Amino acid sequence: MTARLRQSPTLAILAGLWVLLVAGIALLSPGILTASTLTTILQFSSILALVSLGQALVILAGGAGIDLSVGGIVSLASVLAMMAVSAGLPATLLPLACLGIGLALGLGNGLLVTRLRILPLIATLATFYVFSGSAVALTGGAAQSGVPAAFTPWGRGALAGIPLPFLTLALPLFLVAGVVISATSWGRWLVAMGDNERSARLVGIPVDRARLIVYGLSGLASGAAAFVSLAWLGSARPNIGQNLELTSLTAVLLGGVSIFGGRGGVAGVLAAVLLLVTLQTALLRLNINTVWQVGIVGALLVAVLVADALTTRRR
Amino acid sequence: MPTPLLEARGLTKRFGALTALSGVDLDVNAGEVLALLGDNGAGKSTFIKVLAGAHAPTEGTLTIGGTPVAFASPQDAANVGIATIFQELALSENLSIAENVFLGREIVRRVAGVPFLRRREMKDVVGRLLDELDAHISDPDAPVGSLSGGQRQAVAICRALYLDARLVIMDEPTAALAVAETRKVLDLTRRLADRGCAVLLISHNIADVFEVSDRMAVFRRGRKVAERRRDATDPEEIVSLITGAHPDVRALDKQQ
Ligand SMILES: Nc1ncnc2c1ncn2[C@@H]1O[C@H](COP(=O)(O)OP(=O)(O)OP(=O)(O)O)[C@@H](O)[C@H]1O
Ligand SMILES: [Mg+2]
């Protein structure tokens, strides 16, 4: 309850920004404001939301936690899973292959961080290069087509204007994560270790095991995002994960999770994902140069960080 | 003479080249308050961290009720009934008071293996414990980050009380406290011992120690240099043991 209250300034700020943004669009180009635009936004949001959820858990768990390899995992998991299907893996196992590969790659990150004690920034930067490089090398940069037709109706379908991947995968996972963080021992341990790792160890929380699991979950979430991309696009693109590490990081920080861990929740992260994708979609539709897009997203991040710092200091 | 609750024999702890604790023998009995005294850096906290399972000893043995034990974690120590209030308090600022008291051993209802918190129950228990301490904290759901030093101390003590421990270890529990709060903690220390609990108390305040303890052990440069019953010593002697002015300690220092 208290965590929720402390999170609400972020949620309020994000909602305010979103309203401003939509008002701005209504003024500049009212033609964009249609139900189909909303569907598009949610469609693009699905992948970023899944990846950001994993990123949020890693950062929340503290210990300088960060996962720069998420985009690499999305690319490599989609490419490898497609190659496995082409090589004879039963098509029905495609989702499991994506999840399994994502989990394995994430656990690899976790082992580097918890066993070898490599700084997460460095470990996941290294695996980012390995994963995204391998995805391109294995395919020569070409998209792998041939996603079984059975999956595309889910990947492209919508119910009442809400894309199925968002409605049946991203949204439920955020709900589950929100409940686990606020209402279970596991969630409390995660926050406690992010907040004060020494004390978490002193009370006997299995910090290293929890951290390994969290990196595994981030990989799993990226694997799920890989499957969404396959079912949506109908092919595996070796560069599908490009920039996801930066956008997911932006979403997580915008969403009110402290980069030092132990503070924040996933509701803000989902709100930030929606805000970011709305902004990107609007800029795209308004024909604003992509260079400006990056700058505007950055300015937004700075604004929210400043607002957060000011409210934190007042407490 | 009944067997001691806890026997430490030859406890040694080295951090690299630094010997923080060197061959310490000490017994702790049920129903008594044993005070540990010594200068800054004498090894008191290191000693109790070994008892609490936070450090593994480099050498030496620990027995509890006659059985040898080896703790891999503070959880192991808690499981045999050792509750510790560390000098650094070990609290999480972003968690509530109740969450901190129960951190690592929450009351849960498992649904399909998932440990859901029983918040109401935990809150009630903590409310009762805080009342017992007379801690003037009204809301167990308040975040620990918003509490004063004394209130934090009370939360840490609650953690130890809830364990219903056989041995309660307190590392400078009154260092951050005002006079009234210090009184409460000293009273509580005495009450715990009278209940049959063993209490190991670290303090720099000689007056407090003389008021509440039954026995004192003085540490100096990682060694135990003296052990006295309260009725067989006085504050001057203890001070001279701590500072090294006492002839016994001088002799020991010279031997080294
Ligand atoms: N984790 C550690 N790593 C390295 N050295 C340590 C560690 N913990 C303690 N020491 C060293 O061991 C020695 C004893 O420290 P300890 O904390 O036990 O002293 P203390 O008697 O509790 O002092 P104080 O009264 O200041 O709390 C000191 O020299 C300290 O610097
Ligand atoms: Mg100390």
Side-chain angles (χ1 to χ4, degrees):
Chain A
M1 188 64 216
T2 46
R4 190 143 280 282
L5 275 177
R6 269 174 290 155
Q7 206 181 314
S8 59
T10 321
L11 277 179
I13 293 169
L14 290 172
L17 284 173
W18 195 79
V19 169
L20 273 182
L21 179 61
V22 172
I25 297 167
L27 278 176
L28 290 172
S29 172
I32 300 178
L33 292 180
T34 63
S36 81
T37 309
L38 182 68
T39 306
T40 311
I41 289 174
L42 291 178
Q43 183 70 273
F44 275 99
S45 296
S46 304
I47 291 176
L48 180 59
L50 288 168
V51 171
S52 301
L53 182 60
Q55 185 78 270
L57 294 179
V58 167
I59 294 180
L60 206 54
I66 194 168
D67 190 348
L68 293 180
S69 74
V70 285
I73 296 181
V74 175
S75 299
L76 187 55
S78 47
V79 164
L80 282 180
M82 266 317 292
M83 292 175 96
V85 169
S86 305
L89 184 82
T92 44
L93 294 182
L94 182 66
L96 277 183
C98 288
L99 294 176
I101 294 164
L103 178 65
L105 299 179
L107 288 175
N109 284 331
L111 288 175
L112 291 179
V113 170
T114 58
R115 291 285 152 79
L116 300 185
R117 306 262 166 221
I118 302 176
L119 199 64
L121 187 79
I122 313 243
T124 60
L125 182 66
T127 56
F128 159 74
Y129 281 116
V130 174
F131 298 160
S132 47
S134 309
V136 175
L138 286 170
T139 56
Q144 309 293 107
S145 58
V147 172
F151 295 118
T152 42
W154 177 77
R156 296 169 186 171
L159 189 72
I162 303 176
L164 292 178
F166 188 85
L167 189 66
T168 61
L169 189 60
L171 197 58
L173 284 184
F174 268 86
L175 287 175
V176 169
V179 169
V180 167
I181 288 173
S182 62
T184 71
S185 305
W186 297 338
R188 297 298 86 194
W189 296 358
L190 202 69
V191 172
M193 66 189 257
D195 185 24
N196 186 342
E197 182 163 337
R198 271 175 55 83
S199 74
R201 286 186 195 275
L202 284 179
V203 303
I205 292 172
V207 170
D208 287 326
R209 186 151 34 107
R211 191 157 285 144
L212 177 66
I213 291 171
V214 159
Y215 279 95
L217 288 177
S218 178
L220 193 65
S222 291
F227 177 67
V228 169
S229 82
L230 291 179
W232 178 24
L233 304 171
S235 65
R237 300 190 186 167
N239 64 346
I240 184 70
Q242 212 169 31
N243 285 338
L244 273 177
E245 59 289 333
L246 289 181
T247 35
S248 67
L249 204 56
T250 308
V252 168
L253 297 183
L254 268 178
V257 175
S258 162
I259 188 72
F260 302 112
R263 195 160 63 87
V266 294
V269 175
L270 186 57
V273 166
L274 296 177
L275 178 69
L276 272 179
V277 177
T278 306
L279 182 68
Q280 285 173 335
T281 309
L283 293 173
L284 203 68
R285 294 288 181 84
L286 294 171
N287 284 322
I288 290 175
N289 191 314
T290 45
V291 179
W292 275 104
Q293 291 191 27
V294 175
I296 290 172
V297 170
L300 193 64
L301 181 58
V302 171
V304 172
L305 289 179
V306 168
D308 190 49
L310 290 179
T311 51
T312 310
R313 206 169 314 145
R314 243 188 291 125
R315 266 211 316 266
Chain B
M1 184 90 193
T3 50
L5 174 65
L6 178 143
E7 294 171 78
R9 289 293 173 269
L11 279 193
T12 297
K13 177 70 187 175
R14 280 189 274 275
F15 296 106
L18 181 121
T19 304
L21 204 62
S22 165
V24 172
D25 299 335
L26 196 64
D27 292 347
V28 189
N29 301 310
E32 81 170 355
V33 177
L34 171 61
L36 296 191
L37 296 128
D39 253 342
N40 293 121
K44 306 179 298 293
S45 295
T46 306
F47 178 72
I48 61 104
K49 278 185 178 161
V50 171
L51 302 194
H55 286 327
T58 316
E59 282 161 32
T61 56
L62 273 182
T63 59
I64 301 225
T67 4
V69 289
F71 303 137
S73 73
Q75 201 70 46
D76 289 352
N79 289 342
V80 301
I82 299 180
T84 308
I85 300 160
F86 294 100
Q87 196 167 6
E88 312 85 334
L89 287 189
L91 300 174
S92 271
E93 306 228 326
N94 289 339
L95 297 185
S96 73
I97 294 168
E99 287 170 343
N100 264 290
V101 169
F102 283 95
L103 190 58
R105 49 196 158 94
E106 293 83 359
I107 305 180
V108 296
R109 178 187 297 107
R110 286 198 178 261
V111 180
V114 182
F116 283 93
L117 302 170
R118 306 177 74 142
R119 288 189 182 279
R120 174 85 56 76
E121 244 173 282
M122 295 197 283
K123 192 178 163 176
D124 290 348
V125 171
V126 172
R128 270 202 303 282
L129 290 173
L130 288 172
D131 277 350
E132 188 180 339
L133 271 180
D134 203 7
H136 297 294
I137 298 176
S138 49
D139 182 12
D141 283 336
V144 162
S146 69
L147 300 182
S148 73
Q151 290 172 320
R152 283 171 203 229
Q153 196 71 55
V155 174
I157 293 173
C158 274
R159 270 192 68 85
L161 286 183
Y162 173 68
L163 257 185
D164 219 1
R166 291 194 280 171
L167 168 61
V168 175
I169 301 173
M170 303 185 182
D171 195 347
E172 301 194 25
T174 57
L177 302 190
V179 180
E181 269 93 11
T182 301
R183 281 250 58 79
K184 273 177 221 153
V185 172
L186 293 179
D187 287 348
L188 179 84
T189 310
R190 205 53 256 174
R191 261 191 283 149
L192 281 172
D194 294 343
R195 248 197 232 170
C197 191
V199 182
L200 197 52
L201 175 75
I202 298 182
S203 175
H204 288 290
N205 186 320
I206 309 259
D208 287 357
V209 166
F210 267 83
E211 179 183 335
V212 76
S213 72
D214 302 298
R215 214 148 53 88
M216 301 163 205
V218 180
F219 280 53
R220 187 172 162 77
R221 298 185 188 155
R223 297 169 174 275
K224 187 191 80 179
V225 293
E227 212 180 302
R228 298 280 188 276
R229 296 206 56 81
R230 180 186 50 182
D231 40 32
T233 185
D234 53 57
E236 286 87 273
E237 188 189 15
I238 293 294
V239 170
S240 69
L241 286 166
I242 294 170
T243 58
H246 194 281
D248 289 7
V249 181
R250 282 223 209 119
L252 266 176
D253 280 357
K254 220 168 270 160
Q255 270 176 34
Q256 279 187 315

